[in-house]
Amino acid sequence: MSEWIQMNPTQVPRGEAAMWIDQWVYCAKQLNQWDSLLEYARSTENHELAVDCLWRQSEWADLKDTLQTKAQLEETYQSEWADLKDTLQTKAQLEETYQVTMIKSCLALQEGDVQASETRSSLAMQTALMKSHAAASTELPATCEIKLSFQQLVELQESARIFVYLAQATNGLACRTDNAFTDLEDIMKTWRLRSPNEWESLLHWQDIIIWRNHVYDFVINAFRNMAELDPMMHQLGYKDKAWAVNKLGALATLHGCTDTCLGILNNLYGYNAMEVQEAFAKIREQARAYLDSRHPSEMCAGLNLLNTTNLDYFQSHHQAEIWRLKGCFLASLEPENPHAAHSAFSTSLCLWKACPEAWVSWGQHCDKQYDAAVLLQAHHQAGPGTTSAATWLEYAVYCYIQGIRLGSAQARTYVPRLLMLLSFDNDSGIVGIQLDRATDIPAWVWFNWIPQLLASLQRSEAAHVKPILARLAITFPQSLYYSLRTYLLNLRDNAQRAMSELARAKQAAAAATERGEKPREPPVGQDAGRQADVSAFECGKEVMEVLRSKHSALGLVLEQMLQEVGSRFLPRPEERLLAVVNALLHRCYKVPFSNQAEVPGLLKKELAEERLLAVVNALLHGCYKVPFSNQAEVPGLLKKELAGVCKACFSNESSSSGGRSRVHKDMREAFVRDMNPDGPTFPATLGHLSEQLKTWRGRLQSELEERMPPCLRLEEECRSLADLALSIGSNVGVVRRHSTSYRRLMLYGSDGRVRYMLVQTGQNWAQGTTDERIIQLQRSLNRLLDAHPQSRSRNLQWYTPLIIPVWPQVRLLEEDPSFCSYGEAYEINCARFGRESDMPIVHFKKRCAGPGGAVLTDQSSGQLRLSAFQEICDKIVIENVFSQYMYKTIPNCSQLWVFKKNLCIQMALSGLLCHMLLVGGRSPNKILFAKDTGRVFQTDFMPVYNERGMLEKIEYVPFRLTRNLVFFFTTFGVDGVFVSAMVNAAMAILQKDGNAQHVLSMFFRDDIMAWAARRMGKSGSSTAMKNETLKTLVGSNVKKTVDRVRILIPTASQDEAAPMQGGSKDISDLLEQATSHANLCRMEATWHPWF
C-alpha cells in the first residue's frame, strides 16, 4: 500500500493516505498478522510498531536491539530539541509510555533479570495509575485502555513470581514436592478465571494470551528438566497453553475472524503433546470456524476434518458434539438430502441425550425442512417418499422444548417461534399437544411473552395457553397480575355486550322456531367473534381466580394499590383544561389554510359527543388532518369541541362533582364567554382563535404556577396508600411538559434502587398496548445486541423503561427526573430571546399559502416551501440552539463528550427502528432524552399500515436528523458514530442463529390484529381477520422489514478484488434523505423541520 502511495503521490492526499495506513495497521493487528506488520515496520523504520511486533513473536534479541536503537534516537531528538522540551507536545513525545516500560519489563524477565523486571513493572504501574487518575472519571476510550492494561501489569508481576520460583526449584533451592508447586497452580488457575470480556477487542485478548504463552513455554521447559516430578505436574504448561490457544481461537470466531481463528489454532500452540480434552476443543473450534465461514470449500474442509477424526480417543459427550457439528455441515452442504443431517443429529443424541446444543441444532434443521415441505405442498411438488410437513413440525417443536428443558439459553430464544407455530400451524393440534405435555418447563421462561399469551386467549390456541398462564399465576403472581387485570377490564365491556347479543340471538331463534319460521342467520364470523370475546374473558377470569385463591393477601394489596393510583393521581381540572387548550392551538396550526379560510365541518362531527379525556386524546392524535390556515373561518368541528370542553370543565354538573380542585367562577365564566361557539364573542377566524388560545394558555400556565406546588405530599393526596406501608416515597412530584401534567411517584425496590414512575392518564388501550409491544420488541433486540461483540463493545442498547398498566387508560411509566424533551431546548431558547415558539409555524404557513389561502402541498410547491424553510433557518431558528442548551446544562467538557456520543448512538438506534418499521411523526415533543446519560425514549411510536395491512411510509424523511442535531453531533459524529452504530446494530439484529424474525413475527401478529380491530371499531377483539390472511400479512411485513435492515449491512463479494456491496451506499442514501432540505421542507410545520 505504501509503495503504491509513493508511486502515485498526486492521486491520494497525504492525510487520506495516512488514514489508510493507520486503518490497515489496526486491522492487521486485529487479524494477528504480525509478520506483515513487522516487515512494514522495518521498511518504514517505525520502531514503536516494530517493538510491538517483536515481543509477540518471541524475537527477544531483535527486540533488545530495536529498543536500544529507539533509545538512541530519542536521546538525539532530545538534544536537538533541547530549547523546546518544555513545551507540552515535546514532553509528551519524550516521555516513555507505560506500554514501552511493560515491554522492557517483559524483556528483562526473559533474560532472567527478575529484579529489573519488577522495577520496570512497578514503574509502569505507577505511570498507568497517574494517567488513570489524571483522566476524566467518565468512560472515555483512553481511560478504558488504561484500565485494560492493569490486567497485563498484574499478570506481569505474577509472571515474575513464577520465574523466581521455577529458578529456585531448578537450582535445588526449593523442595520438589507436589505441595511446593501449589502457588504455581493457583496462579495458572487464576489466569483461566481472569479472562477479558468476550466483547473486548481481539488485540487486548492477544496481548493477554500471547504473554501467557511465553510464560507457559518457560514452565514447559523448566518441567522438562525435572523428570522425577509427577506426570500431572509435567503436563501443567501444556494443558494451560492449549486452553489459552483454543480460547483465543474461539474468540476470533465469535468476532467473525474465521481465518484468524484457523491460523491461531494451527500455528500458535507449537507442541505435539496435548490432552484429550484440549484436543477435542481444538477440533471443535476448527469446525466452528469452517462452519461460520459459509464458503462451500471451507465447509467441505471442515466436514473432512470431522470425518478423519478418530472418535475412539474421546468420551461420549465429546463424540456427541462432533456428530452434531457433522450434522450442521451436512445440513448446509446437502440441503437436498435432509436425512443425512437428520441421521447425524440422531446419532449425536444417542451418544448423549442431555446435549442441549444437539437438540437445538436438530430443531433448527427440522424447522427448515418443515418450511420447505410446506412450500412443496403449496406447489403440489411433494413426492411420495418425502417426509410430511406435519412430521417435521412435530420433530422441530419437540426438539425446541427438549432444549428448553435442559436449560439452553439458545433454545429459549425459540419461544416466540413456538408461539408462532401454535398460532398459525396448529391445525392438526401437534404444537398444542407438545406444549401441553411440557409442564416441567420453568414458568419464568414465559416472562417476556405474557402480552402475547394474553392475546392468544382470544384465538384458537386459548386452550393451550391457559395452563401456561395458570402456572405463571401460581408461581409468579405479581409478574402476571397487572397485565391480566388491565386485559380483563378492557375486555369486560365487549364480553358483556357479546353475551347479551348472543342471548338475544338465541331467544330470537327460539321464537322463530316456535312460529315455524326459519331462524335468521347472523353474518359470517359474527357469532364466532362474539364467542371468542366471551371465551377469552372467561379464561382470563379463571386465571385471575387461580391467582387470587393461591395468593389472596397479595391480590388484595395489589388491587388496593392500583385502585388508589388510578384514581388519586389524576390531573386537576385546570391541568386538563390547559392540555385541551394547547391541543386546540396545535390543531389550528395543523390546518393547511390561511387565517381567512373556513374551517371544515368534518372535525366538528367527529368530536361532537366526546368527553373531556377523549377530547384530549383525540386532539393530540387527530388534529393533524384539518386542511385550512389561520385566515379561515373557525371550523364547525372546533366549535363542537370547544362546546364539549366548556360543558366538561365548566358545567354545573362538573362543578358539583366530587373533587378537590375547582376552577374559579370568574375563569369559568370568562372561558365560556370567549370559547363557547354559540357565544357572540367567539372568534370568527382561525387566526383570532389561535391568539385567543395563546392568551388562555398563558393565563392557565400562570394560574397553575401560582396555585400548584411542584411537589405534593403522599399522605395528603392518598392517605390510604401511605397507610399500606408500601415502599413509596413521601413526596409526589408534579411534572409539567408541553402543557400536560403528570404525577411522579418514587418506588423503592427490594434491591434498594429508586424507580421514578409517571402516572400517565388519557391513554387509550390501542396506544398503550402499542407502546408495550414496541418496548418489548426493543428489549428482545437488545439481547441480540448483547450477543454481538461489535455492538456490545460500542454499548449499543435501546432504552426500555418499565410500563405497568393500571387501568386501560392509566399506566405507570418509568422515567428518571433527568429526562426532558427535545422540544424543551427550543422553548427555552425562545423564552430567552422573548420569541414565541409558534412563530416559525405561523411564518411558514403564511409564506406557503396560495392565492386562495390554502397551504400548497403539491409537487409544484417545492421551491416555495424550500425558500420559506431557508428563510426560517436563516432568520428565526439557528442551527446551534440545541448545542447552546446542552453546553449550559452539562458541567464539563468530558461529560459533554460522553453525552454527545451516547445521544448520537441512541438517535442512531431510534433512526434504525424508524427505518425498520417506517415510523414517522418524530416531532420534538415526542423525543425524550436523559440529560445525564443521553438515553432516548420515543413516545407515540406507532407503525402505520395501509389498507392492505402492510407497513406504509408516510413521511419524506426516514428518521429525524435535523440541522440542530447534525450541528451538535458534528460531521465526525454523524459519519462516524451515527453510521457505525446503525450498521453494527443491523448486523447484530440479523446475526447467525438470531431470533429477530421470530420476534418480529410475534410483534406483527399482535400489532396487525390491533390495527384490524381498530378499523372495525372493536377495542379488544382479535377476531377481525382470518387466520390465513393474518399469517400472510405477518410473513410479508417481516420479510420487508428484514430486507430494510439487510441493505444496511455491508457484504463481502466472492471476488476478492470486488468492492464491498451494500451498507455504505445505503446508509449514505438514508442520511441524505434525512438531512436534505428538499425533504425537510415538505414535512408538516408542527414537525419543526428547522430545529
Side-chain angles (χ1 to χ4, degrees), residues 280 398 471 784 864 964:
F280 161 74
Y398 181 81
R471 290 199 298 271
L784 296 175
L864 179 63
N964 264 266

Side-chain angles (χ1 to χ4, degrees), residues 866 869-870 956-967 974-975 978 1067-1081 1087 1089:
L866 181 61
F869 175 81
Q870 294 286 2
Y956 292 92
V957 296
F959 45 80
R960 187 176 190 95
L961 189 62
T962 49
R963 49 201 293 272
N964 264 266
L965 289 173
V966 172
F967 186 85
V974 174
D975 295 338
F978 194 93
I1067 285 285
S1068 301
D1069 292 343
L1070 286 179
L1071 292 179
E1072 177 63 26
Q1073 295 174 24
T1075 57
S1076 171
H1077 287 188
N1079 290 336
L1080 289 173
C1081 70
W1087 197 79

Side-chain angles (χ1 to χ4, degrees), residues 734-797:
V734 179
V735 180
R736 296 192 186 94
R737 183 177 294 147
H738 308 298
S739 301
T740 306
S741 297
Y742 305 106
R743 302 294 184 264
R744 177 184 284 133
L745 302 177
M746 295 172 56
L747 304 182
Y748 295 90
S750 57
D751 55 355
R753 294 178 56 189
V754 180
R755 294 186 182 271
Y756 296 90
M757 310 296 292
L758 283 186
V759 183
Q760 290 191 337
T761 60
Q763 307 287 327
N764 59 41
W765 175 252
Q767 178 186 349
T769 54
T770 302
D771 290 342
E772 292 181 22
R773 279 193 295 272
I774 288 291
I775 290 180
Q776 184 190 33
L777 175 63
Q778 292 174 326
R779 196 172 286 123
S780 300
L781 296 180
N782 279 344
R783 297 186 183 92
L784 296 175
L785 297 181
D786 279 340
H788 194 259
Q790 296 299 326
S791 60
R792 181 66 180 266
S793 63
R794 289 170 171 81
N795 195 25
L796 302 184
Q797 284 281 294

